[in-house]
Amino acid sequence: MNNPLLNPYRYEKISETEQPKGLIDDHQRRYEPYLPSDGLIEAVRLAIALQRPLLLEGKPGSGKTQLANSLVYQFTKNNLPGHVESAGKKPWWPFYIWNIKSYTQARDGFYTFDAVGRLRDAQIAGVTLSQTQSWRETQEIQQAWQNPKKYRKFGALGQAIQEPDKRAVLLIDEVDKADSDFTNDLLLELDQYRFDVPETGEMEIVSKHKPIIILTSNQEKPLPDAFLRRCLYFNIEFPERNLLEDIAKQRFNLADKDAQDTLKKSMDEFIKIRSVINLEGNKAPGTSEFLDFLSALYFQLETKAERDEVLSELHKRPAFLGTLLKNNSDIELYTNGRRGS
Amino acid sequence: MLPDPALFAKLLAPLPLFDLFEQLQPKLQLTLEQYEALKQSLWLGYGATSWDDLQRVCGLLWVRPSYDNSHQKLFDREFDYYRQRLSDLPVKKPIEVNKSKTEQSSVTTQLLLPAFPKRFIPNDTQSSSSQAATRVETLPAQERNSANGLKILPINLPISVPKVRESWRLLRQVHQLGMADEIDVDMTVAKISRVGFMQDVVLRPSWSQRSELIVLVDEGKNMLPYFPALAPLFKAIEGGWIHPAAAYRFTGYPAWFLSQWQDSERLVAIDDLLKRLHRLRTVVMVISDMGAANGEIDADRKQGTKDFLRCWQPCVRQILWINPVPKWRWRGTMAAEINQELDKKMLWLGDFDSRAAQRLWRSGRW
């Protein structure tokens, strides 16, 4: 690896030995190996260089969310020596996650203001003053509710913008879940990386170091053109067989021949399932489901014979099949196909 | 390694690759800011080593997501054309999207039918062939191609299970419904600051995402060819992706009784149905050509349809009318009159996508 001091925001393909294997950061987030394609690496580098958000699309389970973890891991490893090995005792690279829900509003990402709490304190102060409190206590309560900043709490985007000495990584997950006005409300702020808090009179909170923003979308809802023009766009395709094999090998320590044989058979079956489901136009299982399936095989079954039995009669083992197929019509489709063959 | 000489020359220009931007701008609706992003990327060393490299970077900056990847395909085609033009390769003009669809249709028409039957248009009885040609010239490109031999196949209509689900999600957007029974904290605090003390809390209707879909399908003979195109919609209903939802058939116009989609012999009285529909939650989707396929004019049917709209509109939140026949065929038919009745919000099935659903939702009740 080149001297990381030259570019603290370097993102590159890393070798198997450098990959994180179940590492935990200071927020108890878990880090697993991640193998991005060359195109994705270039997209990340360009987004960092141009200081623009990167919008990732792809089927569920294609690894959109994991990219942000991978960035944080590499930045921590390159710039904060010893921190990744500290089992979460030393702080990792600043990493904020904003999980979007259908009711999320743009302002929530910057800050929330506890108006009810302030109202309650004001009421308590008004009722109890001069009854039970001493002069000092009265002053404390008065000062508390009269200072609106005490009731303001910064959200993920607000914190990422205010990061004092690094470009934080901000993951805005499943941006398409929110109302269509949500992205429109973020346009100005994502352009200029600044925001106001009118309730406290804090105006023009500006970023010193623009956060690296990764947005993910499951293509459930189209996003406005004005928003898309401000982003770089990358679609994560389902990985080729070789890449899928590498991903599985890095996730599970497949040293012995039996385990590798299971992997080969599992991949054959998985690819068959995908083609059947794709033909029907339904959502085929992705990488994440495949890794869950392998976890079930490797961790629940001890011998190769047991795993072979499950793989040969997968249509009769709903618990295992359920890790790949998530609705009854898909399961029936696959089961009928197996019976027919 | 030096890049291709033609590319190299373009990179050294005062406005590098501006002609590429000019070529793609109208088709991809690019902004100058997006050109600036390309310039900045080139300056940082991205995309300057080869044509493939440049194509990837331009794609990252200029391509927008689309369900069927059409934006990416359009970009790739236009970029290849630009590249061939500059690299002294035999130039293959990019194939227009519409043209390719028409060509594809002309091949598949032989096999898949149906094409539209010839029809009688009352207002056109005295028009000459040259007038008809002039009228065709004024149509948008896509429809002009369709007019050539009237080759729009149901199989080409852009409807799919994911699209149906996406549109349904949009129609189910959160909105305020019913009685004011939820505390509006912001308004309460604003009132306290205005009055000086807490008088009372301010209430507002609660937010709800509950919606019900009723699909009414015209099963007249002109509609039969479109049933395969509607299959994804019924698949989404049967599969529970759209829930609660129910589909019914009618012939001519919905009056007195509807028959159930799954079992056409089971009838449902419209009065009974209307009684149980929620005025604020129900979205009704009517799928009918309304005589546009064959230019039929039937006074009873027209009046009956108008009565249906007047009867149903107060009982439901929204009525969406989807017509499988393209807009330019509505002229002079009952479809045009019903479209007027609907404030011109009748939608061609080919235009039915999530954006259209969003627009209709925003336009409110009809």
Side-chain angles (χ1 to χ4, degrees):
Chain A
M1 189 184 290
N2 295 336
N3 183 357
L5 294 175
L6 292 176
N7 178 8
Y9 306 108
R10 187 179 182 79
Y11 183 65
E12 59 196 355
K13 194 167 267 183
I14 54 175
S15 66
E16 189 182 342
T17 51
E18 289 177 303
Q19 291 280 2
K21 297 215 168 79
L23 287 174
I24 304 283
D25 73 2
D26 51 323
H27 288 88
Q28 300 305 305
R29 299 184 191 113
R30 197 178 168 83
Y31 293 77
E32 298 290 355
Y34 188 77
L35 300 184
S37 64
D38 292 341
L40 181 55
I41 290 175
E42 185 175 40
V44 172
R45 287 178 182 171
L46 193 55
I48 293 172
L50 295 179
Q51 303 188 340
R52 281 172 177 242
L54 174 62
L55 171 65
L56 294 177
E57 281 196 349
K59 302 284 184 219
S62 57
K64 302 183 291 291
T65 307
Q66 290 304 313
L67 172 70
N69 288 42
S70 164
L71 265 176
V72 170
Y73 169 74
Q74 286 204 23
F75 290 172
T76 310
K77 193 169 172 56
N78 292 344
N79 300 295
L80 304 170
H83 286 226
V84 293
E85 296 85 4
S86 70
K89 288 179 186 138
K90 291 181 181 175
W92 283 43
W93 192 266
F95 178 26
Y96 301 97
I97 301 176
W98 186 11
N99 289 309
I100 306 299
K101 309 284 177 204
S102 59
Y103 50 81
T104 303
Q105 294 184 336
R107 198 187 73 167
D108 301 343
F110 296 101
Y111 70 95
T112 50
F113 189 78
D114 184 9
V116 174
R118 191 178 179 212
L119 175 63
R120 181 201 57 219
D121 288 354
Q123 290 281 344
I124 291 170
V127 170
T128 55
L129 282 185
S130 75
Q131 288 178 13
T132 56
Q133 263 75 18
S134 66
W135 182 85
R136 182 185 286 273
E137 284 168 332
T138 305
Q139 285 296 307
E140 280 173 8
I141 293 171
Q142 287 280 14
Q143 280 170 7
W145 80 265
Q146 284 177 354
N147 178 12
K149 287 183 186 171
K150 281 181 71 79
Y151 303 91
R152 177 259 296 128
K153 193 176 168 192
F154 288 113
L157 182 51
Q159 290 180 66
I161 284 179
Q162 294 179 87
E163 193 61 41
D165 54 4
K166 295 182 185 74
R167 291 182 67 185
V169 175
L170 170 66
L171 170 68
I172 305 182
D173 205 12
E174 302 193 354
V175 70
D176 53 330
K177 265 191 190 170
D179 184 74
S180 55
D181 290 334
F182 171 80
T183 39
N184 283 328
D185 291 346
L186 284 177
L187 292 181
L188 180 72
E189 285 78 4
L190 289 185
D191 250 359
Q192 301 179 2
Y193 292 93
R194 61 170 188 164
F195 65 101
D196 302 331
V197 186
E199 289 89 341
T200 59
E202 294 165 290
M203 306 310 272
E204 301 221 350
I205 299 175
V206 187
S207 71
K208 285 184 190 160
H209 300 274
K210 290 182 179 172
I212 296 163
I213 300 180
I214 309 289
L215 300 131
T216 71
S217 163
N218 283 328
Q219 299 171 303
E220 289 196 349
K221 202 184 286 179
L223 299 169
D225 285 350
F227 177 77
L228 294 172
R229 285 194 191 104
R230 285 163 170 82
C231 300
L232 271 74
Y233 167 67
F234 189 86
N235 186 37
I236 300 185
E237 301 283 354
F238 183 73
E240 297 285 327
R241 189 179 169 118
N242 290 347
L243 183 56
L244 188 65
E245 197 173 335
D246 285 348
I247 291 170
K249 279 181 179 167
Q250 296 214 7
R251 177 66 69 92
F252 306 96
N253 219 351
L254 304 180
D256 66 292
K257 194 173 168 299
D258 285 354
Q260 289 184 11
D261 188 50
T262 300
L263 173 63
K264 190 176 169 301
K265 286 179 181 165
S266 306
M267 284 184 57
D268 291 342
E269 201 56 40
F270 175 63
I271 288 166
K272 258 187 240 166
I273 290 177
R274 273 185 60 84
S275 60
V276 170
I277 304 299
N278 273 332
L279 267 181
E280 274 297 297
N282 296 347
K283 188 244 152 193
T287 313
S288 162
E289 282 94 340
F290 181 57
L291 294 176
D292 288 346
F293 177 62
L294 290 179
S295 294
L297 283 180
Y298 289 128
F299 300 136
Q300 299 297 320
L301 306 171
E302 287 178 4
T303 65
K304 181 174 179 289
E306 285 176 315
R307 296 195 291 261
D308 282 351
E309 190 191 334
V310 167
L311 285 166
S312 63
E313 294 196 324
L314 191 55
H315 59 296
K316 293 180 186 166
R317 305 293 290 263
F320 288 91
L321 190 56
T323 58
L324 293 172
L325 299 175
K326 312 290 181 179
N327 72 59
N328 201 37
S329 63
D330 287 349
I331 291 173
E332 277 178 10
L333 194 70
Y334 170 73
T335 307
N336 293 339
R338 281 290 295 255
R339 281 193 191 124
S341 64
Chain B
M1 190 180 75
L2 278 176
D4 179 282
L7 173 60
F8 194 57
K10 289 287 170 192
L11 294 173
L12 291 178
L15 287 174
L17 296 161
F18 193 72
D19 53 345
L20 171 67
F21 172 75
E22 276 185 313
Q23 182 190 319
L24 268 62
Q25 191 278 329
K27 286 166 184 160
L28 302 180
Q29 294 170 345
L30 302 173
T31 59
L32 277 174
E33 199 190 355
Q34 285 173 293
Y35 174 67
E36 283 298 324
L38 174 65
K39 261 174 66 181
Q40 205 181 340
S41 307
L42 294 170
W43 185 77
L44 289 166
Y46 289 92
T49 55
S50 68
W51 283 109
D52 289 342
D53 194 18
L54 178 66
Q55 186 165 3
R56 257 196 328 273
V57 169
C58 288
L60 281 169
L61 297 170
W62 292 351
V63 170
R64 293 198 297 276
S66 53
Y67 167 70
D68 52 1
N69 226 9
S70 56
H71 210 252
Q72 177 75 52
K73 288 175 191 161
L74 177 64
F75 165 78
D76 288 341
R77 203 165 38 235
E78 290 293 329
F79 191 94
D80 287 346
Y81 175 50
Y82 176 83
R83 178 178 170 173
Q84 284 167 357
R85 210 157 38 93
L86 285 185
S87 305
D88 294 334
L89 295 171
V91 175
K92 276 192 255 168
K93 233 189 151 181
I95 303 161
E96 293 295 328
V97 181
N98 296 329
K99 195 176 172 189
S100 71
K101 271 189 182 171
T102 312
E103 283 170 354
Q104 189 189 354
S105 301
S106 64
V107 174
T108 49
T109 305
Q110 310 299 324
L111 306 169
L112 292 168
L113 288 179
F116 291 114
K118 283 186 180 175
R119 68 178 175 89
F120 167 76
I121 301 175
N123 296 345
D124 284 2
T125 45
Q126 294 173 356
S127 64
S128 67
S129 59
S130 63
Q131 280 172 319
T134 310
R135 192 176 300 115
V136 169
E137 275 302 308
T138 62
L139 291 166
Q142 192 176 353
E143 298 184 356
R144 190 163 60 238
N145 284 331
S146 314
N148 182 15
L150 309 175
K151 289 167 191 160
I152 288 182
L153 299 177
I155 202 165
N156 292 338
L157 290 171
I159 190 166
S160 61
V161 173
K163 273 195 175 182
V164 168
R165 287 165 56 188
E166 186 181 300
S167 304
W168 177 239
R169 265 191 293 272
L170 287 171
L171 289 171
R172 288 182 68 235
Q173 277 181 357
V174 187
H175 48 275
Q176 286 181 301
L177 282 183
M179 301 278 290
D181 56 1
E182 187 178 285
I183 296 177
D184 188 331
V185 174
D186 289 339
M187 292 303 290
T188 304
V189 172
K191 190 176 173 187
I192 291 169
S193 67
R194 199 171 59 245
V195 178
F197 59 93
M198 187 168 165
Q199 232 176 6
D200 201 359
V201 289
V202 179
L203 297 176
R204 66 180 177 198
S206 54
W207 292 93
S208 166
Q209 207 183 9
R210 293 173 64 186
S211 293
E212 179 179 10
L213 180 70
I214 301 290
V215 183
L216 305 180
V217 185
D218 180 358
E219 59 171 358
K221 61 180 188 303
N222 293 333
M223 286 293 296
L224 292 178
Y226 300 102
F227 280 21
L230 299 174
L233 175 65
F234 300 111
K235 190 175 175 187
I237 292 174
E238 283 161 24
W241 298 114
I242 299 180
H243 181 80
Y248 302 96
R249 301 161 187 257
F250 66 90
T251 311
Y253 57 91
W256 307 110
F257 291 96
L258 298 167
S259 53
Q260 291 199 343
W261 179 258
Q262 293 289 13
D263 181 0
S264 56
E265 289 181 5
R266 287 186 62 188
L267 299 180
V268 177
I270 285 184
D271 279 351
D272 292 343
L273 184 63
L274 285 179
K275 272 182 216 160
R276 69 160 191 82
L277 297 183
H278 194 291
R279 191 173 64 83
L280 299 171
R281 290 187 202 135
T282 309
V283 177
V284 175
M285 181 186 281
V286 185
I287 304 173
S288 168
D289 72 309
M290 205 55 213
N294 62 357
E296 175 197 358
I297 299 277
D298 178 338
D300 282 349
R301 186 179 174 193
K302 192 167 66 181
Q303 190 54 46
T305 306
K306 286 180 180 175
D307 291 345
F308 152 74
L309 291 174
R310 282 177 203 136
C311 172
W312 281 59
Q313 271 168 343
C315 304
V316 299
R317 191 178 84 208
Q318 203 163 19
I319 299 178
L320 307 175
W321 194 299
I322 311 292
N323 194 327
V325 178
K327 267 184 187 168
W328 60 271
R329 297 271 298 193
W330 302 353
R331 207 172 145 199
T333 70
M334 291 183 295
E337 284 195 49
I338 298 302
N339 188 26
Q340 288 289 342
E341 194 79 9
L342 294 165
D343 289 339
K344 297 190 176 172
K345 286 173 185 164
M346 188 183 278
L347 195 69
W348 175 41
L349 182 60
D351 287 336
F352 182 75
D353 59 11
S354 48
R355 283 175 202 277
Q358 211 163 6
R359 275 198 303 277
L360 287 171
W361 165 250
R362 286 190 168 164
S363 68
R365 293 186 62 195
W366 295 355

